[in-house]
Amino acid sequence: PSPSKDYDLMYYLKGAAAGGICCSITHGALTPVDVVKTRVQLDPVKYNSGLIGGFRQIIAEEGAMALATGLGATAAGYFIQGWFKFGGVEFFKIKAVESMGEEAAWNNKTNIYLASAAGAETIADVFLCPLEAVRIRSVSDPEFCDGLADGFSKMFKAEGVGGFYAGLAPILAKQVPYTMAKFAVQGEAADAMYKSMGKTPADLSSGTNLSVSLASGVVAGVAAAIISHPADTLLSKVNKAGAGGTGSMASRLMNIAKEVGFVNLCTVGLIPRCVMIGTLTAGQFGIFDTVMGALGASKFHFHDPNSD
């Protein structure tokens, strides 16, 4: 049977709204962690006492409000990103099943997860990139702007439209593999959990389904954090004024990578990032499922026609 009956425009809008809400809440709540992480990546010599030490240092020097730097840009940026990312993944997944048929889709579900996530993330990042540029600039230079609108106008005057998209290549390099890992690993982990129970999501209570979402989200978050960490470190550094010298984006990224060294790119700040992304991803999938339920939509799951 074609899944199109239950999955109309309203379903995609609910999926997009749930995605926007879950990303905005989780990323907004983690703004203080992100401020410390960004500072550590930008200036490891000054901020050399780890995550907790970084919190203490920033509060001592600048007051507790400094930890909320970039909150507006983060909440707005990730609402938009979540809207296109989760909404897009649902859309591409369901369209793939409609065009391939259930059996072929079930046999290729990992590839569908990967392709859906890559397509949705690329679209989402075009919208996220300007907000992320303003956020990183405001975290690295707290004097730069008073809030989101002010940051936009100052950055536009100083650098034009190009300034907002200076970080697009590294954002795509970081976010696309990260999102592909996140959705594919979460999907596979959730399917494995359902299989081990011998049940489908429809057979189980919403509480049990939520537990599966949270548990598979943690697994997916840690896998995704490890895969995307080198690009995350590069992204923090390339948005710092003057980093990597002058020249094209590719040459600047190469210069930064040489300066930092490959092992450091992969390991510096990795543990806090695994904790952060593991928590974040579990929260996202948990909130997404909860909001979808509240909106009266049941989330699409791949179906094995041979199990009927």
Side-chain angles (χ1 to χ4, degrees):
S2 160
S4 57
K5 291 191 297 298
D6 302 323
Y7 301 106
D8 54 4
L9 178 63
M10 266 325 283
Y11 175 80
Y12 297 124
L13 286 174
K14 287 172 181 175
I21 291 165
C22 77
C23 288
S24 186
I25 291 174
T26 50
H27 281 277
L30 284 168
T31 299
V33 180
D34 225 24
V35 169
V36 177
K37 180 177 75 76
T38 304
R39 294 278 181 96
V40 170
Q41 285 171 324
L42 292 174
D43 193 354
V45 179
K46 181 178 177 187
Y47 298 99
N48 59 5
S49 50
L51 190 63
I52 307 299
F55 271 109
R56 290 199 184 116
Q57 210 171 332
I58 292 171
I59 292 170
E61 288 171 12
E62 302 169 45
M65 278 312 290
L67 293 172
T69 311
L71 177 61
T74 301
Y78 282 98
F79 182 86
I80 295 165
Q81 197 229 20
W83 176 277
F84 288 103
K85 176 159 73 178
F86 278 82
V89 166
E90 291 300 305
F91 178 80
F92 290 131
K93 244 177 9 185
I94 290 163
K95 292 299 167 199
V97 177
E98 285 176 5
S99 65
M100 294 166 77
E102 271 197 337
E103 187 152 3
W106 175 258
N107 295 332
N108 288 288
K109 66 179 194 289
T110 305
N111 293 334
I112 295 172
Y113 275 126
L114 292 170
S116 301
E121 183 61 58
T122 302
I123 296 165
D125 287 342
V126 171
F127 291 93
L128 173 71
C129 195
L131 289 132
E132 189 69 354
V134 174
R135 183 190 74 79
I136 289 180
R137 179 64 61 86
S138 66
V139 170
S140 63
D141 176 9
E143 306 297 306
F144 175 66
C145 62
D146 304 321
L148 191 53
D150 182 44
F152 261 101
S153 64
K154 280 188 179 161
M155 210 159 172
F156 183 67
K157 280 182 193 138
E159 300 176 34
V161 176
F164 295 122
Y165 284 100
L168 183 61
I171 276 193
L172 289 172
K174 168 189 140 185
Q175 289 290 85
V176 172
Y178 160 74
T179 302
M180 290 167 76
K182 178 164 106 171
F183 281 95
V185 173
Q186 192 270 338
E188 291 295 324
D191 285 342
M193 289 175 197
Y194 286 121
K195 193 173 178 185
S196 72
M197 292 187 273
K199 304 266 193 235
T200 67
D203 302 334
L204 297 164
S205 70
S206 57
T208 310
N209 283 328
L210 182 61
S211 305
V212 171
S213 288
L214 291 171
S216 56
V218 172
V219 177
V222 171
I226 293 167
I227 287 168
S228 65
H229 191 66
D232 183 61
T233 307
L234 281 178
L235 182 66
S236 284
K237 291 193 181 295
V238 86
N239 273 307
K240 192 178 180 181
T246 53
S248 72
M249 179 55 66
S251 73
R252 286 177 61 202
L253 288 170
M254 287 303 289
N255 292 341
I256 295 170
K258 280 183 200 139
E259 282 163 32
V260 178
F262 183 69
V263 174
N264 285 345
L265 271 185
C266 294
T267 56
V268 171
L270 181 61
I271 299 301
R273 186 162 152 83
C274 280
V275 173
M276 176 175 154
I277 303 289
T279 315
L280 184 98
T281 308
Q284 281 181 358
F285 283 107
I287 294 167
F288 180 78
D289 284 14
T290 306
V291 175
M292 287 289 272
L295 293 172
S298 58
K299 185 179 165 188
F300 171 81
H301 287 275
F302 286 104
H303 173 66
D304 180 3
N306 299 322
S307 68
D308 291 346

